[in-house]
Amino acid sequence: MNKAKWVKLGKYLFSGGSAFVLDFALLVILVQFAHLNAGISAAIAFIISTIYAYLAQKYITFSAKGDFGGSIFRYLILLGFNTLFTSLTVELFQNLWQLYYVGKIVAAALTTAWNLPIMHYWVYRSGRDPQKY
């Protein structure tokens, strides 16, 4: 992997990592202090942190200019899928083992793995060579 790809990966991990910290903190606050259902809390925290992540990925990781309408629409589709997946995973871990936070970590790891190529090749693709990072 060339230097540019390593830089892109670093930016992606920083933007996503900081979004995860926000997401996880909100999840714990909503479950432990607001006493909301773990699945609902996961969805709320995920949506808020994903708005932050969208902006960080768009402007920091992918330096995407313009095409806000197209990229936001594609990102919302990805967000919908990821939110449902995360909420169901957190709820499953909570119901089976009372470990909602482990479910959150598992869901975050899986969505992180598939989000980079989806964002690169689909969400922020406008005006770029799909082979180049």
Side-chain angles (χ1 to χ4, degrees):
M1 192 156 47
N2 66 30
K3 182 180 176 184
K5 288 184 181 183
W6 282 110
V7 170
K8 176 82 64 177
L9 180 61
K11 288 178 180 181
Y12 172 74
L13 292 174
F14 171 78
S15 296
S18 60
F20 177 77
V21 169
L22 174 63
D23 187 0
F24 197 82
L26 287 172
L27 173 63
V28 171
I29 290 167
L30 292 171
V31 171
Q32 296 297 322
F33 300 105
H35 306 290
L36 293 178
N37 171 278
I40 291 170
S41 295
I44 293 168
F46 188 75
I47 289 169
I48 292 169
S49 67
T50 301
I51 292 167
Y52 162 81
Y54 170 79
L55 295 171
Q57 297 295 3
K58 180 174 177 60
Y59 295 109
I60 296 170
T61 305
F62 296 98
S63 301
K65 308 283 190 273
D67 190 33
F68 186 77
S71 68
I72 193 73
F73 178 73
R74 292 183 295 270
Y75 195 84
L76 287 172
I77 292 170
L78 180 60
L79 171 62
F81 178 82
N82 286 345
T83 300
L84 181 61
F85 176 80
T86 298
S87 184
L88 291 174
T89 302
V90 168
E91 190 68 21
L92 176 70
F93 273 73
Q94 179 65 14
N95 288 338
L96 293 178
W97 304 290
Q98 299 296 303
L99 296 171
Y100 69 90
Y101 46 89
V102 175
K104 178 62 189 170
I105 293 168
V106 168
L110 292 172
T111 58
T112 297
W114 66 59
N115 279 349
L116 180 60
I118 290 171
M119 283 192 241
H120 177 75
Y121 292 109
W122 187 58
V123 174
Y124 300 113
R125 74 176 192 268
S126 180
R128 286 206 296 237
D129 178 351
Q131 298 304 313
K132 293 177 81 177
Y133 278 77

